[in-house]
């Protein structure tokens, strides 16, 4: 093959003089050229070896050769699974369908993989079942094509050993535990399931999101108390103590495994998914990958039980260990861990993947999606029978049904095309590469550009990985007031964190790009006077395996006199060639309406990973904003409006000294009313990488995604009034009474002993339908601080979401003291949660001042519509003199004194303040006492007469009540306690003793002399007897053995768990029949007139049964009300 002007051809035989073998020189060259590694060496022609070797030495600096066919990108995890053989042996690149090239990118989590599939950065990927469920619920452009495995015990919640059960993680006089997990992963699902099953909610545990590598680092540093993790991260936590501590209760301990969660009906696994585009255009390659993966799993299912092919010291196991650890020489412990982790998964056959009774993937997906909805991971409700077909359509079975047994059943050892010793190339960072290779070789520099152009890049050479944790900057200045023109020739990065950002001379964002791009799709960027380019990467490396692509970025800066074009709304780029918004645009607000858009008119979907901003200024005091189109993904993509002209973080080169105040946030498809704000304002639009299609109210996708927002200045006070602007007790930059919900910050000027605020705007929450999701409202107020001892709250309307059995919510009103800067400071001094009844609260605390901030932050959804709240607040004071400031002398709304006026009346100046939800009135106490004594006594006489008549009436009703009591008594009489055990004659006698066995792994079967086929090893007699006793007595667990070989047995679940490693094994209980016990009566034959299908009851001593109908022959019909525990074998 010819590359860069010289020729390589492979030959067998000895290497010619002057030519080194591939492992000395040409292995690196072959890697750069995309050549397969085999047993061949390479001979160079012509015979001028030294010249050609010199040219070969330059290869690392050259770009990788482009794939001659389809470049296939597949996302994988670092899991210890059989399909690692396909990846690490480079099987698909050495045995191609046509001329395609296969590259496997290791992903930190499935949540990122679904975005890459949807946007085209990946063609296929292994996904956890819950990220896949999230993608299906969010209408991602992908399908599942096979089931890779069920999780079994391969994932778990691992914590410090001091935590015995999930409830220990919740605060009980100590700080709540911090638990980490990758977001939207199957382990995220497990974490939420543990919280829900323990009857806790999201406020009980500090749940943080980290990648597996970050989890291991945080565990070692002692900054987390545990994590839901898998693979090497899980094993690392089990093998290494928390924070390096020597304490026994800081060792890693498996608290809850995926198999336990599955018993709670939270089943998890992995699927193989492909993008819709790849399935439509390359179904043959989809089938090829699925068949290869299925062959390795079939081989594992067969050989792990019948041969040593998958033993811990086998070639196959070592290849999987190399994949999991990315080490050329895994340690003995790593190979043992790999062997045990492989056995934790449950691998389904192709036949079982197509059977709903084995795995009903559509139902499992919909159930997972709804649980994510309840746990605030998804904004849209994915439940309902009308959506069943939607989830069924997301499982494309055509690939599996098209396979034949010859595609996946031949064992690997019989295939001459497969070699476990063949080594695929792995993309790694090379220390000798410069961190960032700008034109001067420095990490950051100022460059004066010329018309000829200057090239700059990330610094990686050839197919090396680019550097992690970089923040490189180039500042370009053109001569003489010209423009800087930037042309990006290559961008191959990991979205969403690694990418390029371009800023203008004022620090405003001009453009941001992330992910894998076709350079032809990237627009040119042009800036006047100056431009700064920033290249940023995170700490994670995808470590591509197989055919290595040239990653990183390369761009050219040049000087030009041509100004960028004036683009229509939603267009960008130097020549308006990009049909989507980019960066920050300065907009002047004229009296006539102007428009900003997410994408060009006629473009159906907005861009993934959008980051756009508009600075709207005005010559008048106010600006009006009106949405004419809004169809963006609910809860994930947002249009936000900020106070002032300052760009928030992410839209400027340097973060602002203080973040601008958020005034309003819009998401979903409901058009807000016309909005009016104090000018200027800064509008932003941000989208994530998945599902950039909105959903209509009927649940169907909206093909016209995006938004259109018109703005204009308001030129006169009459114009302002005409647009519904109002001022109330609270002042805010937002001036719109038409809103039915709170938003942004509201300030009450002055010092007031009491006041009120509402989640609604301009009206009571009683008139609202459902408060908005993902909305934050803050109220700044001050009460007198002399003698202040706390705060008191009453709610005439309190309809806020509460955590339930399966629903966790963070919706609450939290009260903070104001800091020196006026912002919330420290921990909340009061928290008002949904479900509190009655809705009145008193909080005692030592206040540092009378200044407070009330914060209401709603989460991603309300499964049941909630109106919100109207709240009245008052200061609490510790003495009568302090009470004169107000506060405790407030009465409830217009009547009964929930805040005791009687006791505090002298301190209130003789009046009782009676607040309403919107205002207050004063009542003279003298008038109040006159009303009480003038009306109460006559009223008491009337009540006495009425009571006499009522008493006669109630006596008549008592007869009916006695009849009901008689019926209840009869129902109790119908209950019987079993005092003698009876076994029906038609049933066999109850079991006697039992023998217990544990399941051994196939490669170790030869070490046991006494086996019950095919793989059961008997416990010794004393252990077996102890297990049977615990089984009969209904014990949950029993410990056997001594450390480090100590095991926890779950007799009812038939599981044995290694206390040190968390490794699980199946158990077998073999019962032996016993003679009928002397004290067990044999039941009489069934009466001939009783239906043969009528079930018979087995009576145990201590059980309670309810007799429904007694027959004269001694038989009865009834039901079992309470079953007695098993206390003796046979009873």
């Amino acid at each position: 093959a010819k590359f860069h002007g010289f020729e390589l051809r492979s030959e067998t035989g000895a290497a010619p003089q002057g030519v080194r073998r591939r492992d000395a020189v040409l292995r690196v060259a072959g890697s750069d050229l995309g050549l397969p590694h085999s047993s061949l060496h390479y001979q160079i022609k012509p015979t001028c070896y030294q010249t050609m070797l010199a040219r070969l030495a330059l290869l690392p600096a050259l770009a990788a050769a482009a794939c001659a066919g389809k470049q296939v990108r597949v996302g994988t995890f670092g899991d210890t699974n059989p399909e690692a053989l396909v990846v690490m042996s480079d099987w698909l690149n050495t045995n191609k369908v046509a001329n395609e090239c296969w590259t496997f990118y290791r992903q930190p989590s499935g949540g990122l993989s679904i975005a890459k599939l949807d946007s085209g950065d990946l063609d296929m990927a292994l996904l956890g079942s819950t990220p896949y469920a999230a993608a299906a619920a969010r209408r991602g452009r992908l399908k599942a094509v096979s089931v890779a495995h069920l999780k079994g015990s391969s994932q778990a919640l691992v914590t410090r050993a001091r935590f015995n059960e999930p409830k220990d993680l919740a605060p009980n006089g100590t700080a709540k535990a911090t638990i980490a997990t990758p977001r939207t992963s199957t382990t995220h699902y497990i974490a939420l399931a543990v919280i829900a099953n323990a009857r806790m909610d999201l406020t009980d545990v500090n749940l943080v999101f980290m990648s597996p590598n970050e989890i291991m680092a945080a565990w070692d540093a002692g900054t987390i108390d545990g994590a839901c993790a898998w693979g090497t991260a899980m094993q690392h936590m089990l093998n290494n103590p928390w924070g390096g501590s020597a304490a026994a209760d800081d060792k890693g301990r498996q608290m809850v495994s995926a198999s336990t969660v599955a018993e709670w009906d939270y089943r998890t696994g992995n699927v193989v998914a492909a993008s819709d585009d790849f399935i439509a255009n390359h179904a043959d390659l989809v089938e090829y990958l699925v068949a290869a993966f299925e062959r390795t799993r079939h081989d594992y299912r067969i050989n792990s039980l019948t041969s040593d092919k998958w033993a811990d010291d086998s070639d196959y196991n070592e290849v999987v260990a190399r994949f999991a650890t990315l080490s050329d020489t895994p340690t003995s412990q790593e190979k043992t861990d790999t062997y045990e982790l492989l056995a934790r998964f449950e691998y389904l056959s192709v036949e079982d993947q197509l059977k709903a009774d084995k795995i009903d993937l559509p139902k499992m997906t919909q159930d997972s999606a709804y649980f994510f909805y309840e746990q605030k991971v998804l904004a849209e409700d994915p439940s309902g029978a009308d959506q069943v077909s939607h989830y069924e359509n997301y499982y494309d079975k055509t690939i599996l049904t098209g396979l034949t047994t010859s595609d996946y059943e031949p064992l690997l050892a019989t295939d001459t095309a497969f070699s476990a010793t063949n080594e695929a190339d792995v993309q790694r960072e090379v220390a000798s590469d410069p961190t960032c290779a700008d034109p001067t070789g420095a990490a950051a520099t100022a460059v004066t550009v010329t018309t000829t152009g200057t090239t700059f890049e990330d610094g990686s050479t050839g197919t090396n990985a680019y550097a992690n944790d970089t923040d490189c900057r180039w500042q370009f200045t053109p001569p003489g007031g010209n423009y800087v023109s930037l042309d990006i020739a290559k961008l191959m990065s990991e979205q969403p964190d690694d990418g390029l950002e371009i800023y203008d001379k004022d620090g405003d964002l001009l453009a941001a790009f992330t992910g894998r791009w076709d350079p032809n799709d990237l627009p040119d960027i042009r800036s006047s006077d100056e431009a700064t380019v920033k290249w940023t990467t995170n700490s994670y490396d995808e470590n591509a395996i197989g055919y290595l692509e040239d990653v990183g970025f390369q761009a050219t800066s040049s000087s030009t006199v041509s100004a960028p074009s004036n683009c229509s709304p939603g267009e960008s780029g130097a020549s308006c060639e990009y049909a989507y918004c980019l960066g920050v645009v300065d907009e002047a607000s004229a009296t006539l309406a102007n428009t900003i858009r997410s994408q060009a008119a006629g473009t159906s979907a907005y861009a993934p990973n959008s980051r756009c901003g508009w600075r709207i200024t005005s010559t008048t005091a106010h600006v009006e904003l009106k949405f004419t189109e809004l169809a963006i993904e609910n809860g994930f993509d947002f249009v936000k409006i900020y106070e002032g002209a300052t760009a928030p973080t992410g839209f400027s080169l340097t973060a602002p000294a203080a973040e601008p105040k958020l005034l309003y946030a819009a998401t979903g498809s409901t058009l807000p009313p016309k909005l009016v704000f104090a000018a200027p304002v800064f509008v932003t639009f941000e989208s994530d990488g998945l599902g950039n299609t909105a959903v209509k109210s009927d649940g169907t996708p909206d093909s016209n995604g995006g938004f259109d927002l018109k703005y204009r200045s308001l030129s006169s006070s009459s114009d302002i009034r005409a647009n519904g602007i109002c001022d109330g007790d609270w002042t805010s930059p937002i001036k719109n009474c038409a809103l039915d919900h709170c938003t942004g910050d509201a300030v009450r000027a002055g010092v007031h002993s009491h006041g009120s605020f509402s989640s609604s705007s301009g009206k009571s929450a009683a008139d609202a339908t459902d408060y908005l999701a993902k909305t934050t409202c803050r109220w700044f107020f001050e009460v007198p601080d002399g003698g202040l001892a706390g705060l008191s709250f009453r709610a005439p309307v309190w309809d806020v979401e509460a955590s339930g059995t399966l629903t966790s919510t963070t919706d609450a009103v939290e009260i903070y003291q104001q800091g020196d800067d006026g912002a919330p400071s420290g921990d909340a001094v009061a928290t008002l949660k949904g479900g509190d009844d009655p809705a009145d609260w008193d909080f005692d605390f030592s206040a540092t001042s009378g200044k407070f901030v009330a914060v209401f932050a709603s989460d991603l959804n309300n499964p049941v519509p909630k109106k919100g709240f109207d709240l009245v607040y008052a200061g609490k004071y510790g003495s009568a003199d302090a009470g004169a400031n107000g506060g405790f002398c407030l009465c409830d709304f217009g009547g009964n004194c929930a805040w005791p006026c009687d006791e505090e009346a002298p301190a209130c100046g003789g009046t009782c303040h009676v607040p309403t939800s919107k205002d207050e009135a004063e009542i003279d106490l003298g008038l109040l006492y006159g009303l009480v004594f003038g009306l109460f006594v006559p009223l008491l006489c009337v009540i006495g007469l009425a009571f006499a008549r009522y008493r006669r009436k109630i006596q008549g009703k008592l007869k009916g009540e006695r009849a009901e009591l008689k019926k209840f008594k009869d129902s109790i009489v119908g209950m019987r306690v079993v005092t003698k055990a009876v076994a029906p004659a038609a049933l066999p006698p109850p079991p006697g003793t039992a023998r217990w066995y544990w399941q051994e792994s196939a490669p170790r079967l030869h070490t046991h002399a006494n086996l019950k086929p095919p793989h059961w090893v008997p416990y010794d007699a004393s252990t077996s007897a102890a297990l049977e006793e615990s089984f009969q007595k209904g014990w949950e667990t029993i410990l056997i053995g001594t450390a480090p070989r100590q095991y926890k047995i779950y007799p009812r679940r038939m599981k044995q768990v290694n206390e040190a490693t968390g490794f699980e094994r199946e158990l077998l209980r073999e019962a032996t029949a016993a003679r009928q016990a002397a004290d067990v009566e044999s039941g009489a034959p069934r009466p001939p007139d009783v239906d043969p299908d009528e079930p018979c009851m087995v009576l145990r001593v201590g059980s309670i049964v309810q007799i429904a109908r007694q027959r004269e022959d001694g038989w009865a019909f009834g039901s079992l009300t309470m079953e007695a525990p098993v206390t003796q074998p046979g009873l």
Side-chain angles (χ1 to χ4, degrees), residues 931-950:
L931 290 172
V932 169
F933 286 103
L935 294 177
F936 179 73
V937 175
L939 183 61
L940 185 62
C941 295
V942 174
I943 292 174
L945 292 174
F947 178 74
R949 294 186 60 188
Y950 171 77

Side-chain angles (χ1 to χ4, degrees), residues 687-710:
S687 66
D688 66 0
L690 172 69
N692 294 336
T693 302
V695 179
K696 298 178 183 177
S697 58
D698 62 359
T700 60
D702 190 335
S703 58
N704 298 311
F707 76 91
D708 182 295
L709 179 61
K710 293 184 172 19

